Amino acid sequence: QQASLESQLQVAALEETPSENEKSAEESQESERLRRLRLRQTQGTLCHEFLEAFSRHPLVAEKTLDALQPRWLKQLKRLGASVEEAHASCYKARQQLLTALSGDFAWIFDPQAEGAASELPLARNDKQEDEEFHSHFAVDRTLLYKGDRWIIDYKTAQQPE
């Protein structure tokens, strides 16, 4: 009876343990998910850098994006993007940027805007009981518009997969 119970426990343990193929498939899926996440993050960083530069200096958006595309493609491919993925990512980023720069909120990126700053460094001190905390961060964009102070944090929208 003891041997029967031990063999049942071993069978149950084997059934609960993922096979090497299942582990490999899960690891592969996780690796692919992380690769796609890095690609989206890089696309967001590239857009952020462009908006920062555009907000500081008058640029011709389309010509500048055309000039940047080879560098962007190289960066995306270096992170594991296929040629098709890299081109699709660059196209999507270009469309998002041109929409932002020509849409209802294009005034946000005006280099001559009143009180404007890009990547404005800020510091904050907090105290909790006897401990003091210091944090440093940067505001992506800030400016005065129609008498109001605007603080903008750039984000690229991504639909969940």
Side-chain angles (χ1 to χ4, degrees), residues 17-36:
T17 305
S19 71
E20 289 302 315
N21 286 343
E22 289 171 329
K23 284 181 189 177
S24 179
E26 288 174 10
E27 289 170 0
S28 182
Q29 288 173 343
E30 181 64 10
S31 177
E32 177 62 15
R33 189 188 69 74
L34 291 173
R35 184 187 72 82
R36 287 184 181 173

Side-chain angles (χ1 to χ4, degrees), residues 38-55:
R38 280 193 309 273
L39 293 175
R40 284 193 306 267
Q41 289 171 333
T42 300
Q43 178 185 348
T45 300
L46 296 172
C47 289
H48 187 282
E49 290 171 355
F50 176 82
L51 291 172
E52 178 185 348
F54 190 90
S55 297

Side-chain angles (χ1 to χ4, degrees), residues 51-94:
L51 291 172
E52 178 185 348
F54 190 90
S55 297
R56 291 177 189 250
H57 312 285
L59 302 170
V60 178
E62 290 191 31
K63 286 184 180 181
T64 305
L65 288 168
D66 289 343
L68 286 171
Q69 184 169 342
R71 192 188 89 180
W72 288 10
L73 288 169
K74 188 183 287 186
Q75 281 185 267
L76 292 165
K77 285 190 254 180
R78 200 175 313 133
L79 287 172
S82 68
V83 173
E84 296 80 19
E85 285 175 315
H87 279 281
S89 183
C90 285
Y91 177 80
K92 183 175 181 177
R94 178 188 181 89

Side-chain angles (χ1 to χ4, degrees), residues 76-136:
L76 292 165
K77 285 190 254 180
R78 200 175 313 133
L79 287 172
S82 68
V83 173
E84 296 80 19
E85 285 175 315
H87 279 281
S89 183
C90 285
Y91 177 80
K92 183 175 181 177
R94 178 188 181 89
Q95 295 310 105
Q96 289 175 330
L97 290 166
L98 291 175
T99 298
L101 297 173
S102 63
D104 293 339
F105 295 98
W107 51 269
I108 290 171
F109 308 103
D110 179 1
Q112 305 303 315
E114 182 184 356
S118 293
E119 295 301 312
L120 178 69
L122 297 175
R124 181 174 141 176
N125 297 325
D126 289 318
K127 194 167 187 174
Q128 190 174 15
E129 296 180 17
D130 290 341
E131 289 190 64
E132 198 168 315
F133 301 93
H134 307 281
S135 55
H136 299 268

